[in-house]
Amino acid sequence: MNDLSPIQKEIAAALQQMKEKSIITEAVLAKKVRENAKIQGKNKAGICLKDLEACIEYLAVNSQLRFELHLNSANDILIKNSENVWKLLESEAKKRRQSSEKSISVLTNGDLRSKNTGGKAAKKRTDRKKMDYRDVEDE
């Protein structure tokens, strides 16, 4: 997995874990990636087609796992387990998916980096100062 980016490694690992399923939806795969990488937030985020295609190709060459990509009418990616061939999206479906990715949130390498930096989490302001009515002097 040396030639894959960090997010692609997470996607490939999730695909390997889910190899027993005949059909994997994009939402289920994204949930597994968030779970494995311990990414907080981005619950509605999907998987970038470019990253997924790289993982499918990598797994077909190196792990003998073969998947076929399909696109449903809502531009959601369906990943089907295949016995003998691996197949990426056709050009028309690929263009349709890429144009819809402009309006959706996808998991990126930055999501993994922000998890690993150890920075402070956003803190909500809950400790508001309240004035005690007993301390107010009557005039």
Side-chain angles (χ1 to χ4, degrees), residues 1-4 12 16 53-65:
M1 287 195 192
N2 293 337
D3 53 344
L4 296 178
Q16 286 177 331
E53 286 180 337
C55 294
I56 298 291
E57 188 173 349
Y58 178 85
L59 290 174
V61 171
N62 296 322
S63 300
Q64 304 305 318
L65 289 175

Side-chain angles (χ1 to χ4, degrees), residues 6-34:
I7 193 68
Q8 290 171 348
K9 289 178 185 178
E10 292 292 340
I11 294 168
L15 282 170
Q16 286 177 331
Q17 291 173 350
M18 302 173 79
K19 66 184 174 188
E20 300 301 320
K21 295 188 178 210
S22 60
I23 296 178
I24 305 167
T25 63
E26 174 187 6
V28 171
L29 180 63
K31 181 179 179 182
K32 189 69 169 174
V33 169
R34 283 192 305 275

